[in-house]
Amino acid sequence: MPRTGGAATRGPPQVNTGGGTAPDKLGHMAATHTYLTGIQTSGEPHIGNYVGAIKPALAAAESSDTLYFLADYHALNSVKDPAKLRHSIRSVAATWLACGLDPERTVLYRQSSVPEVFELATILSSITSKGLMNRAHAYKAARDRNAAAGNEDLDAGVNMGLFNYPILMAADILIMAADRVPVGRDQVQHIEYTADIAGTFNHLYGESYTFPIPEGVYPEGEASILPGVDGRKMSKSYDNHIPLFLPENKLKKLVRRIPTDSTPVEDPKDPDTSVVFQLLAQFADAERTAAIRKRLEAGGMGWGELKNELFEVLNAELTPLRERYEALMHPDSELDAILAAGAVRARERARGVLSRVRAAVGID
Ligand code: ADP
Ligand code: TRP
């Protein structure tokens, strides 16, 4: 089970999308949470994202109110090629739908379709100290890189979008009055900042409106961190990733190229130090994984055969998804209509929160 962390939730969200609540036998309403997460549209999803983020988020959507959005304005900070950004927005949306996101159940929308987010970001800026932003990890890391490179201007290459990133992210979450945010552990500080900013707002304006204080929902343990083909954590930034929707022949080639040592076929091998085996274990069922582990440890199974097994299980799971993805990426697919419908639902919710926030601060 994922674990929640961060600040305690004060009170239920004040706006509800309506789904996910049912009275129990005594007629009490079950406590519900609103899950929200954003996915930057800055590149092609890989099998690490699939195992570590997409699958858990789709599992959460089975039982909770969920809003998942494409953080295209966050991506704009780093992606300066319009064609690439445009493609990535459709590609990330198609990926979620191809992997099983049900757009009736989950509100799927583009951040840029909800201008209320940006109005709330302006309001939040007025109550957020610059010092808090100075201490943000991503900003500090950029300054450290400049210092290490001997650059006198520590802010070289830092745009205001990067500096303000945590405020925009707080607005993404608070505009929907979401109280649960499933994200990777690299986002802990952003969630803490959001809780902090919401707390400041509540302290100042709480008599008129209070935001629920959101909590992060983080994957537990290291088990779901997939290694990349070079053994480090799989990441776009290391270029060691296996893209989720590679065509079959390219997937086969990439799996074949995963480096292995020169242990002869007949010698025993340690599955726990093998990237190929670790990837296989995420996709093969327990029985098949155990049988292969045994054969590796006993000797007699070569790396080539292990790679064939990995390709087979990967391809079996991904083929139907890849087909749906390709259909959705077609210009005439239902993708744009799904995003448009999601935007209508998201805006309705956002407008409700924003009008109460505006009234609370005196701009109504
Ligand atoms: P990348 O490192 O490739 O840029 P992101 O930072 O965009 O990936 O991550 C998007 C989501 O996928 C996050 O929730 C993150 O926790 C998850 N994720 C990224 N890489 C992995 C991995 N190797 N194993 C498991 N989950 C991952
Ligand atoms: N910062 C997140 C990431 O890089 C993406 C994101 C933007 C987000 N806004 C959000 C995640 C709001 C959760 C909630 O992965």
Side-chain angles (χ1 to χ4, degrees), residues 250-298:
K250 290 200 173 154
L251 178 64
K252 190 179 242 169
K253 271 193 200 140
L254 187 54
V255 168
R256 291 213 149 271
R257 281 207 312 268
I258 300 177
T260 43
D261 63 25
S262 52
T263 320
V265 173
E266 56 285 2
D267 285 14
K269 299 175 186 65
D270 178 7
D272 296 318
T273 56
S274 158
V275 168
V276 186
F277 182 80
Q278 285 169 50
L279 293 175
L280 177 106
Q282 290 289 341
F283 289 88
D285 61 39
E287 211 177 305
R288 189 160 177 182
T289 306
I292 291 173
R293 170 182 283 282
K294 237 181 167 171
R295 287 193 53 208
L296 284 167
E297 286 170 345

Side-chain angles (χ1 to χ4, degrees), residues 7-15 116-117 119-121 123-125 127 167 170-179 194-215 349-350 352-358 360-361:
T9 310
R10 270 181 236 152
Q14 303 192 351
V15 183
E116 289 76 11
V117 169
E119 189 169 341
L120 181 60
I123 295 172
L124 298 180
S125 295
I127 58 163
I167 300 181
D172 292 328
I173 298 168
L174 299 177
I175 196 68
M176 299 301 172
D179 63 343
T194 304
D196 196 329
I197 294 169
T200 304
F201 183 95
N202 292 351
H203 179 71
L204 284 167
Y205 302 111
E207 294 212 340
S208 309
Y209 182 75
T210 55
F211 286 116
I213 306 291
E215 294 181 19
R349 188 176 169 109
V353 174
L354 185 65
S355 69
R356 298 174 72 170
V357 169
R358 285 182 62 146
V361 303

